[in-house]
Amino acid sequence: MSETTWVIASIGLGLVVGSFLNVLIHRLPRMMDGAEGEDLDDASMDHMVDRIPPTALSLVAPGSHCPGCGHRIRAIENLPLVSYCFLRGRCAGCGQPISWRYPIIELLGAAGALACVLVFGPTPQVKIIAAAAWGVGPKTKTQ
């Protein structure tokens, strides 16, 4: 595989990992609070996903949706960074702005993967290094 292919593949994979990190950042604290029987009192309680009982939340269900109107995000609307730009940072259902956090985390995931390839070279070992780099990302609160 050429170095250009490695760079393109690392950026694509980094965007996907960044998108999944967004899911973790948003859902894990809510899932953990629900498992502990605590009430969520953060400012985002008005979002639809926060109205779902924490026990009903998982990393795969319910599917991605607009926190404002509940519009179910189709696969074509869920392409990391590309969809954000295509939709101009707004929900396809209601036009409500989408937080800048989502593309920033996706870009950070891509930048981390790209940095690993550029620093360590296009080797099979870079996959392990990138996985370790992503593992030290966002943290949730712990007791």
Side-chain angles (χ1 to χ4, degrees), residues 47-83:
H47 293 309
M48 179 167 281
V49 76
D50 293 323
R51 289 188 213 126
I52 298 168
T55 54
L57 278 176
S58 76
L59 296 181
V60 295
S64 297
H65 58 277
C66 173
C69 72
H71 168 74
R72 187 163 195 263
I73 298 173
R74 299 172 299 196
I76 195 72
E77 298 169 345
N78 208 13
L79 300 173
L81 194 59
V82 174
S83 297

Side-chain angles (χ1 to χ4, degrees), residues 28-138:
L28 276 181
R30 287 156 182 81
M31 291 166 54
M32 291 171 61
D33 283 347
E36 296 169 4
E38 298 176 12
D39 291 330
L40 292 171
D41 57 359
D42 62 345
S44 64
M45 281 299 292
D46 58 339
H47 293 309
M48 179 167 281
V49 76
D50 293 323
R51 289 188 213 126
I52 298 168
T55 54
L57 278 176
S58 76
L59 296 181
V60 295
S64 297
H65 58 277
C66 173
C69 72
H71 168 74
R72 187 163 195 263
I73 298 173
R74 299 172 299 196
I76 195 72
E77 298 169 345
N78 208 13
L79 300 173
L81 194 59
V82 174
S83 297
Y84 186 88
C85 294
F86 181 72
L87 294 170
R88 298 184 183 136
R90 299 193 170 274
C91 170
C94 67
Q96 181 177 356
I98 299 169
S99 170
W100 274 94
R101 182 194 78 200
Y102 295 99
I104 289 171
I105 297 296
E106 291 167 357
L107 280 172
L108 288 173
L114 179 61
C116 287
V117 168
L118 294 177
V119 170
F120 300 105
T123 64
Q125 291 82 4
V126 79
K127 298 173 193 173
I128 297 168
I129 296 166
W134 289 320
V136 297

